[in-house]
């Protein structure tokens, strides 16, 4: 733990720019606590769930914004609401299951009842019994209740923010990032194909860095390079939102790149002679007109939308402690898919998730970093691949989108 005696803010000791990241930012308890207030409960849009997960009145999902438990629910007016999963009385959870259907949220502890919009509407024995007891004079249910979130819906995605004055979600993401969400999801009704929850032994920001790190993708991931799914020599680039917080990394079909000898010349472990016994695992179909076969999109602070071939998924990043992160995967198809297309999506889903042929390496690399930086609070990471600034790039041999994240992070943490 750093000496806090002389610090007024959690990042006061950060002396460098976004190309130098001090290692203590991944382990400091004060930083972790400040993130909950300034980022997750601050002026940020946090991913909550898919609209398709709450199609009917009373359908709800219990999730988190940072470490704060929240409920996302569709009311009988057809609108989606979100509020803390916390009873107005003594703070107990209201929803005990991850998802379900309810007419209201009645606390199991003392039966205080909350509406689907999060209002306190009932107090057991509020008037007492037989003329005695009951709530104190002047108690008003309208003055109590869990905190509510502002809700935004974007192409079937549901986001929430504790800041009522936050920019609209499209402005928050910027036109380019919003357009890339539209590219994958617009005009199609999502179908949930499966879910996984994964515990990572590292700080949540290390996983965020990883999703934005196009430099590592074909170096760390043996499967990507061996089976020609993603190489830095392929056509592609990076898009970064104006504040740096959100990004898109993409690559497209490029037959010339598949013949490149660059990976052999670099003698990288990701260039291997491994083969699949059943190549049907990699069957795919043309889904987009632009020939982009890989697109990884992130929205600050906790959301990822992936397209790897025809494997479409959303990821929700939830901090559980300075060195522990919960990662939730939701795999999706679309109502218009044929049976053959859905089968292809399910086969390609083997590439990602906790034991995915590709992403299993991401599940351990953050832990390697967390363990490697122990005792190195006075050292810092070097982020200079592709320069020292952030912004769009016509190639993926860059750490520009990671620098963009740290720009957005510092702006919010220091406000």
């Amino acid at each position: 733990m750093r000496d806090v005696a002389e610090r007024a803010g959690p990042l006061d000791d950060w002396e460098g720019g976004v190309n130098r990241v001090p290692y203590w930012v991944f382990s400091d308890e004060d930083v972790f606590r400040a993130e909950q207030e300034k980022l997750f409960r601050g002026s940020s849009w946090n991913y909550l769930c898919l609209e398709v997960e709450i199609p009917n009145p009373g359908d709800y999902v219990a999730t988190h914004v940072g470490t704060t438990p929240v409920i996302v629910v569709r009311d009988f007016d057809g609108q989606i609401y979100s509020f803390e999963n916390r009873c107005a009385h003594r703070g107990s959870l209201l929803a005990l299951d991850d998802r379900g259907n309810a007419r209201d949220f009645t606390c199991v502890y003392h039966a205080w009842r909350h509406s689907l919009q999060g209002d306190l509407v009932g107090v057991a024995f509020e008037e007492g019994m037989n003329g005695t007891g009951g709530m104190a004079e002047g108690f008003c249910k309208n003055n109590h209740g869990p905190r509510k979130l502002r809700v935004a819906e974007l192409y079937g995605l549901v986001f929430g923010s504790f800041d009522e004055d936050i920019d609209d979600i499209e402005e928050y993401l910027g036109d380019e990032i919003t357009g890339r969400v539209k590219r994958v999801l617009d005009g199609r009704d999502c179908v949930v194909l499966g879910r996984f929850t994964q515990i990572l032994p590292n700080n949540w920001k290390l996983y965020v860095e990883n999703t934005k790190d196009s430099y590592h993708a074909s170096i760390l991931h043996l499967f990507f390079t061996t089976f020609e799914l993603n190489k830095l020599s392929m056509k592609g680039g990076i898009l970064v939102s104006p504040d740096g917080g959100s990004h898109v990394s993409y690559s497209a079909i490029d037959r010339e790149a598949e013949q490149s000898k660059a990976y052999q010349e670099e003698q990288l472990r990701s260039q291997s002679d491994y083969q699949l016994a059943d190549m049907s695992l990699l069957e795919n179909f043309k889904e987009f007109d632009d020939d982009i076969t890989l697109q990884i999109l992130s929205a600050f602070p906790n959301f990822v939308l992936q397209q790897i071939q025809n494997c479409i998924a959303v990821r929700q990043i939830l901090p559980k402690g300075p060195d522990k992160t919960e990662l939730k995967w939701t795999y999706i198809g679309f109502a218009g898919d044929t049976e053959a297309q859905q089968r292809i999506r399910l086969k390609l889903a083997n590439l990602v998730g906790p034991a995915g042929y590709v992403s299993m390496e991401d599940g351990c690399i953050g832990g390697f970093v967390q363990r490697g930086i122990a005792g190195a609070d006075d050292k810092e990471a070097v982020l200079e691949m592709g320069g020292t600034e952030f912004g769009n790039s016509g190639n993926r041999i860059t750490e520009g989108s990671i620098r963009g994240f740290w720009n957005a992070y510092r702006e919010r943490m220091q406000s």
Side-chain angles (χ1 to χ4, degrees):
M1 181 68 69
R2 295 175 299 144
D3 182 6
V4 299
E6 302 299 324
R7 285 192 285 115
L11 300 187
D12 282 1
D13 294 344
W14 189 329
E15 297 178 350
V18 294
N19 61 313
R20 291 287 189 276
V21 179
Y23 287 136
W24 51 256
V25 80
F26 299 109
S27 59
D28 190 282
E29 293 274 2
D30 294 323
V31 169
F32 184 81
R33 284 191 292 270
E35 289 169 349
Q36 304 310 310
E37 187 63 34
K38 291 179 175 290
L39 301 186
F40 295 100
R41 293 192 295 270
S43 190
S44 298
W45 282 111
N46 296 266
Y47 172 73
L48 301 177
C49 68
L50 296 166
E51 283 190 70
V52 71
E53 296 181 276
I54 47 174
N56 304 308
D59 287 348
Y60 71 87
V61 170
T63 183
H64 288 79
V65 168
T67 57
T68 304
V70 300
I71 294 170
V72 196
V73 60
R74 191 179 296 277
D75 196 3
F76 287 88
D77 64 1
Q79 300 300 306
I80 297 174
Y81 297 88
S82 184
F83 47 90
E84 284 181 297
N85 188 2
R86 174 182 61 81
C87 179
H89 181 210
R90 299 274 288 279
S92 174
L93 291 173
L94 292 172
L96 303 180
D97 297 322
D98 289 342
R99 60 192 72 248
N101 183 277
R103 293 197 62 84
D104 58 44
F105 292 97
T106 299
C107 179
V108 67
Y109 199 176
H110 299 97
W112 283 36
R113 186 164 55 90
H114 307 71
S115 74
L116 297 182
Q117 297 186 24
D119 298 317
L120 177 62
V121 295
V123 173
F125 302 115
E126 182 177 0
E127 302 299 328
M129 186 180 294
N130 299 325
T132 61
M135 295 300 294
E137 185 178 352
F139 173 78
C140 178
K141 291 190 289 292
N142 293 337
N143 296 333
H144 299 270
R147 287 177 293 185
K148 298 181 180 181
L149 287 76
R150 180 179 166 187
V151 172
E153 302 161 40
L154 182 71
Y155 303 117
L157 308 171
V158 181
F159 293 86
S161 178
F162 281 104
D163 181 3
E164 275 294 325
D165 298 322
I166 191 172
D167 291 338
D168 290 344
I169 185 68
E170 295 86 354
E171 185 177 354
Y172 176 87
L173 294 176
D175 291 341
E176 289 184 308
I177 309 300
T178 300
R180 290 307 184 106
V181 177
K182 179 179 181 180
R183 170 187 171 271
V184 176
L185 299 176
D186 187 30
R188 303 199 283 179
D189 295 326
C190 292
V191 175
V192 175
L193 300 180
R195 300 182 180 91
F196 285 104
T197 298
Q198 180 178 7
I199 300 300
L200 304 176
N202 52 264
N203 188 273
W204 68 276
K205 298 184 294 297
L206 287 172
Y207 188 77
V208 171
E209 280 195 329
N210 181 272
T211 65
K212 295 172 180 288
D213 183 3
S214 56
Y215 175 38
H216 90 278
S218 60
I219 298 175
L220 173 67
H221 298 307
L222 179 148
F223 200 91
F224 262 161
T225 304
T226 298
F227 295 99
E228 309 287 356
L229 298 180
N230 182 27
K231 287 186 173 182
L232 291 172
S233 51
M234 296 171 69
K235 299 174 184 176
I238 302 288
L239 304 175
V240 181
S241 63
D243 72 344
S246 303
H247 99 294
V248 172
S249 172
Y250 64 95
S251 60
I253 295 171
D254 189 340
R255 300 307 176 196
E256 291 183 7
E258 292 181 11
Q259 307 305 316
S260 171
K261 301 298 182 183
Y263 284 77
Q264 291 95 323
E265 292 168 0
E266 289 281 350
Q267 298 184 2
L268 300 175
R269 60 168 287 279
S270 58
Q271 183 68 50
S272 76
D273 295 324
Y274 284 102
Q275 297 180 354
L276 284 171
D278 181 4
M279 286 299 293
S280 72
L281 181 75
L282 296 180
E283 285 181 1
N284 59 84
F285 59 93
K286 186 174 177 62
E287 188 167 4
F288 304 98
D289 293 334
D290 54 17
D291 285 336
I292 290 176
T293 54
L294 185 144
Q295 176 181 289
I296 304 297
L297 180 152
S298 71
F300 188 94
N302 76 328
F303 172 73
V304 178
L305 170 64
Q306 70 158 58
Q307 174 224 335
I308 301 177
Q309 301 283 5
N310 306 112
C311 180
I312 314 295
V314 295
R315 312 176 201 169
Q316 183 185 29
I317 304 165
L318 298 175
K320 295 299 178 182
D323 59 357
K324 183 179 179 181
T325 301
E326 186 175 271
L327 178 61
K328 293 191 171 183
W329 302 74
T330 303
Y331 302 86
I332 58 177
F334 301 95
D337 288 347
T338 66
E339 184 177 341
Q341 288 172 333
Q342 185 179 89
R343 183 171 179 80
I344 286 172
R345 293 194 197 281
L346 290 172
K347 280 195 171 185
L348 287 170
N350 286 288
L351 302 185
V352 296
Y357 285 124
V358 175
S359 60
M360 61 179 170
E361 292 154 328
D362 289 330
C364 64
I365 196 66
F368 294 168
V369 176
Q370 195 79 44
R371 289 155 59 188
I373 63 177
D377 282 358
D378 59 336
K379 305 300 181 182
E380 57 193 9
V382 178
L383 298 175
E384 293 192 354
M385 183 61 67
T388 59
E389 304 299 326
F390 68 90
N392 294 354
S393 171
N395 71 78
R396 293 170 296 132
I397 311 177
T398 177
E399 294 166 322
S401 52
I402 307 177
R403 292 189 291 268
F405 166 78
W406 289 114
N407 181 75
Y409 177 90
R410 290 180 68 172
E411 283 184 352
R412 287 166 172 79
M413 289 288 285
Q414 294 172 325
S415 63

